[in-house]
Amino acid sequence: MLDDFVLIKHKFEEAPFINIYPLGDVHIGSKECDMELLKKWVEMVKQDPYGKVVIIGDMMNMGLKTSKSNVYEETLSPMQQKELCYEILKPIADKILAGCSGNHEYRAVKEVGMNPLYDVFCRLRIEDRYRENVCFLKLTVGKCGKNPNTYGVVLTHGKSKNKDLDWTYSVDGSDVFISGHTHLGTHQPCGKIRMDLSHDKVKTVGYQHIVVLPFQSYGGYAVRNKYIPNHLGQFQCVTFDGSAKQVGYSYF
């Protein structure tokens, strides 16, 4: 397994743009997991010639006796969850750019020394694109004159809403931060001040913070703990332009 701080690099110099579809908080194995919605999402990604995928963790629920999840409510065993996760991702394995685990997968790491999402990546033969805690991506898209457009993307599973947003200020040079965990499905344009000492300038730079939507219907644990429901069924897309350096966000 490669260290978190090893940069993941992808080049798409012949592409006019790429669409990145973030995927996380699927919770395979929970009774609220909407498998039909997930299959619909996979088909959409397969049909997009410029579609790519990043994975934000909690693909599997991994309810254990020591976890907050009720292990007796799991619809699949941990091994079955891992097998189903592999089968779902297999048709789009070549589109997956990077992925990291969530707190649900980390349960298995902590309790039994098994890293289920890393195992899935290994079986898909893309283990070099997996990082346990955070992914730092460099994307090269299209060409602007003689020089290609480069984008920085940071992926983490996330913690609380405020902690996730505060953490974006600790990483410089990223155009997009994508996280999950809170199931909020939000998009927030942000900015920071940068001292450009090479050119003796102080300027403001923009970036975007995106939280992925889950693939879970509202009920069970979420209701019990009074979490706010979200609009299930919308898909998020982040577009990286190849003709000029600009990032678009859409959902449908």
Side-chain angles (χ1 to χ4, degrees), residues 29-102:
S30 73
K31 62 182 180 180
E32 290 79 27
C33 177
D34 192 329
M35 290 303 302
E36 291 306 312
L37 183 65
L38 181 58
K39 291 175 183 178
K40 181 179 177 181
W41 181 90
V42 170
E43 285 303 312
M44 175 196 65
V45 172
K46 285 170 61 177
Q47 296 302 317
D48 186 347
Y50 301 110
K52 305 297 176 184
V53 175
V54 293
I55 294 176
I56 318 298
D58 279 5
M59 289 294 297
M60 293 157 276
N61 206 50
M62 287 289 144
L64 305 175
K65 289 185 178 180
T66 55
S67 64
K68 291 181 180 180
S69 300
N70 186 345
V71 66
Y72 302 107
E73 292 181 347
E74 297 286 273
T75 61
L76 299 169
S77 70
M79 184 63 71
Q80 290 171 325
Q81 292 178 34
K82 190 164 67 169
E83 180 67 24
L84 182 54
C85 183
Y86 165 75
E87 293 296 337
I88 289 168
L89 296 179
K90 184 179 178 180
I92 56 171
D94 62 328
K95 290 177 173 282
I96 299 173
L97 302 182
C100 59
S101 287

Side-chain angles (χ1 to χ4, degrees), residues 229-241:
N230 45 59
H231 182 57
L232 190 69
Q234 291 184 325
F235 299 143
Q236 297 161 293
C237 178
V238 189
T239 301
F240 296 84
D241 201 317

Side-chain angles (χ1 to χ4, degrees), residues 32 183 216-228:
E32 290 79 27
H183 296 199
Q216 280 188 301
S217 59
Y218 188 64
Y221 179 83
V223 175
R224 216 164 32 242
N225 289 276
K226 301 298 185 292
Y227 292 152
I228 298 173

